[in-house]
Amino acid sequence: MSDPAFHEQNRERLVRLLRDRRAAGLFFTSAHKVRNHDCEYRFRPESDFWWLTGFAEPESALLLLPTLEGQARPRQILYLRDRDREREIWTGRRLGVTAAPSALRVDEARPIERLWDDLPTLLKNQERIVTRTGLEPERDRQLLETLTKLRWAARGMVVPPLELLDVAPFTHELRLFKTERELEHMRRAAGISRAAHSAAMRASKPGLNECELDALLEHEFRRRGSTGAAYTNIVAGGANACILHYVENDQPLRDGELVLIDAGAEWEYYASDVTRTFPVNGRFSAEQKALYEVVLQAQLTAIAHVRPGVSFVSVHEVALRALVEGFVRLGLLVGKAEELLANEGYRRFYMHRTSHWLGLDVHDCGAYVRDGASRLLEPGMVLTVEPGCYVAPDDESVPSRWRGIGIRIEDDVLVTPAGHEVLTAGIPKTVEEVEAACAGRTLAGAT
Ligand SMILES: [Mn+2]
């Protein structure tokens, strides 16, 4: 599954940054999360930790020590659970301390139980520690205790670390720019999402329950080798689509309504993030079609705008202007687009942002602002473009025929030197493509 050379390169890229700041790096994987009583959610490694190690076992940590005086090269120590025949019968196979160095290309592996005892010795004379705090209170407490021990020891010849630095300018900045290898994973995830969304369109019919399409998506994700959904699927029929993070997915799908599906497969823990909205019965009504065309036009205009040198926020602004002009055209909003943009008169129908970064995390890491201004897009960044329109079922400011229509269209877009590439291309999107897909047909040349 994981590719040790890829993760080794990631560590080398990070170590170069750490060396410049004379900093050690300390990375933990996710903690087990209890679902109820003694049942846990399925484990998923922490994204920085996975990026650096390709190691998916729980209870592990990575310590990166940059070159110190008299040391030939940086040290990389992986802490993990050791082999344990008895425990492995209950909770599954373990790589173990002996096999880890060659399997994961790290210098050294030690049992996780030793981590906190080892740290005061390993971290002495490191000027800074790059780590993420605020996730696990107990871990933060142990880290502070370690620093305190080092300060006590400072009466000798030991220099304690003076600064704790957040990972944001380090791993998060590196992860924002995707390598070819990462893009291969993201294209793979996108391809599986394409198959799943197309299957949902084909399967949809009045009388099905949202949960049946939810299960179908999961089935398509898993049988195609994905680790599963990159985030909780949203399958929202009718007015449920106006609840942005609707995840109950348990209501009947009705004739004449739309269904909004926001679901993306994960590949090697890289996310895809796709939304499509289509008629439950396969044919758009006049109002649904008119509103769909407005959202689609906004999305296509915003995607066309994506290229190096434009600001992140300008993608949102371009989509927003197209939406507001469309709302005015349809009579949903009254007034001049300019004024409606200024006084946010559109917020009743469009209350979220158009884009976020995408990568190992669905809302991926990476700063959106630089020097107080929206960051400029650069090749290698991947962002979503996902405008929408949500008319509340009880919105009496519009004629009843518009009420309860919720539409979002979302694709994943890579910034390339020449402009952009839509990673999720090929998922039915125009009215014609969507209706054909619902009818079980594929349009020739559909994109
Ligand atoms: Mn999204």
Side-chain angles (χ1 to χ4, degrees):
M1 275 283 277
S2 88
D3 169 6
F6 164 65
H7 301 284
E8 182 178 42
Q9 280 165 18
N10 293 340
R11 286 196 298 278
E12 281 166 5
R13 292 167 67 199
L14 173 63
V15 161
R16 281 197 285 276
L17 296 184
L18 293 176
R19 198 187 295 137
D20 292 346
R21 300 298 309 276
R22 298 190 64 84
L26 179 59
F27 295 86
F28 296 87
T29 199
S30 306
H32 280 298
K33 295 282 183 253
V34 173
R35 181 174 181 274
N36 62 303
H37 186 46
D38 55 357
C39 292
E40 289 162 350
Y41 285 101
R42 185 190 297 189
F43 178 76
R44 197 271 192 197
E46 197 277 331
S47 295
D48 270 354
F49 183 81
W50 171 260
W51 188 80
L52 289 166
T53 63
F55 187 54
E57 285 185 28
E59 296 171 60
S60 36
L62 177 71
L63 180 65
L64 296 173
L65 297 167
T67 322
L68 292 176
E69 306 282 327
Q71 219 178 279
R73 52 189 296 269
R75 280 172 80 190
Q76 308 180 350
I77 307 175
L78 181 75
Y79 285 87
L80 73 166
R81 303 175 308 181
D82 205 357
R83 298 293 307 271
D84 181 328
R85 195 177 156 70
E86 176 71 11
R87 295 309 311 155
E88 286 181 62
I89 289 169
W90 288 88
T91 59
R93 297 182 183 88
R94 298 178 176 188
L95 179 62
V97 167
T98 311
S102 66
L104 301 170
R105 302 198 190 186
V106 292
D107 300 330
E108 198 182 335
R110 299 183 183 185
I112 185 69
E113 293 79 11
R114 277 179 53 187
L115 175 70
W116 295 106
D117 288 339
D118 284 0
L119 279 181
T121 309
L122 292 169
L123 288 176
K124 70 185 177 198
N125 300 330
Q126 298 288 344
E127 291 179 24
R128 300 177 179 85
I129 303 170
V130 171
T131 194
R132 171 134 279 197
T133 57
L135 297 175
E136 298 293 330
E138 175 56 20
R139 189 198 296 159
D140 292 352
R141 190 193 63 72
Q142 285 178 291
L143 186 61
L144 291 176
E145 195 178 291
T146 300
L147 289 178
T148 305
K149 281 183 191 161
L150 281 163
R151 286 189 201 113
W152 289 341
R155 269 166 279 176
M157 288 298 287
V158 173
V159 180
L162 299 175
E163 289 179 287
L164 274 184
L165 300 180
D166 187 59
V167 296
F170 297 91
T171 43
H172 287 189
E173 193 59 23
L174 292 171
R175 279 173 49 197
L176 177 57
F177 297 89
K178 274 65 181 176
T179 60
E180 251 329 296
R181 183 84 181 128
E182 293 177 295
L183 291 171
E184 279 171 30
H185 294 330
M186 295 186 76
R187 288 194 186 94
R188 194 80 188 254
I192 296 172
S193 295
R194 174 164 55 238
H197 277 266
S198 303
M201 289 179 195
R202 261 197 314 278
S204 173
K205 60 181 179 196
L208 281 189
N209 193 285
E210 291 166 350
C211 72
E212 293 176 83
L213 294 187
D214 190 6
L216 175 65
L217 293 163
E218 182 73 13
H219 176 72
E220 292 295 329
F221 290 165
R222 299 294 301 280
R223 83 188 185 92
R224 289 165 197 276
S226 156
T227 32
Y231 52 95
T232 307
N233 294 338
I234 295 172
V235 182
N240 294 337
C242 298
I243 302 165
L244 298 179
H245 292 152
Y246 175 83
V247 290
E248 284 82 356
N249 304 351
D250 61 359
Q251 294 301 305
L253 295 166
R254 293 186 194 86
D255 199 11
E257 292 186 338
L258 297 175
V259 54
L260 179 154
I261 294 183
D262 186 343
E266 189 178 64
W267 184 266
E268 285 279 307
Y269 300 114
Y270 281 83
S272 57
D273 185 3
V274 178
T275 309
R276 287 293 184 271
T277 310
F278 56 90
V280 169
N281 66 14
R283 306 292 289 181
F284 284 93
S285 74
E287 285 77 18
Q288 289 165 351
K289 186 171 168 177
L291 214 43
Y292 188 90
E293 296 282 15
V294 166
V295 176
L296 179 62
Q297 210 45 53
Q299 203 233 14
L300 294 174
T301 308
I303 290 175
H305 175 74
V306 172
R307 70 185 82 104
V310 306
S311 70
F312 177 83
V313 74
S314 69
V315 180
H316 173 64
E317 289 163 350
V318 164
L320 185 57
R321 175 171 292 273
L323 285 176
V324 169
E325 287 171 357
F327 297 159
V328 171
R329 245 185 351 260
L330 296 181
L332 285 168
L333 288 177
V334 179
K336 289 204 167 62
E338 219 57 55
E339 285 162 21
L340 292 161
L341 284 165
N343 66 22
E344 302 195 347
Y346 57 84
R347 283 193 66 91
R348 202 160 74 247
F349 304 129
Y350 186 53
M351 58 300 280
H352 62 77
R353 290 264 158 182
T354 304
S355 300
H356 54 79
W357 304 132
L358 184 73
L360 281 169
D361 293 312
V362 65
H363 298 153
D364 206 32
C365 55
Y368 289 98
V369 172
R370 194 157 250 195
D371 303 324
S374 178
R375 186 161 193 174
L376 303 185
L377 298 184
E378 295 177 57
M381 293 172 163
V382 178
L383 66 155
T384 64
V385 179
E386 47 177 313
C389 172
Y390 315 90
V391 186
D394 58 355
D395 188 339
E396 297 192 349
S397 74
V398 298
S400 61
R401 65 181 194 277
W402 299 108
R403 292 177 206 159
I405 299 180
I407 296 166
R408 178 164 63 255
I409 308 172
E410 173 176 33
D411 281 300
D412 305 341
V413 182
L414 165 70
V415 185
T416 64
H420 62 264
E421 174 193 332
V422 180
L423 298 177
T424 45
I427 305 177
K429 187 157 78 168
T430 66
V431 165
E432 295 71 26
E433 287 165 2
V434 167
E435 290 190 343
C438 289
R441 293 179 288 119
T442 316
L443 288 189
T447 52

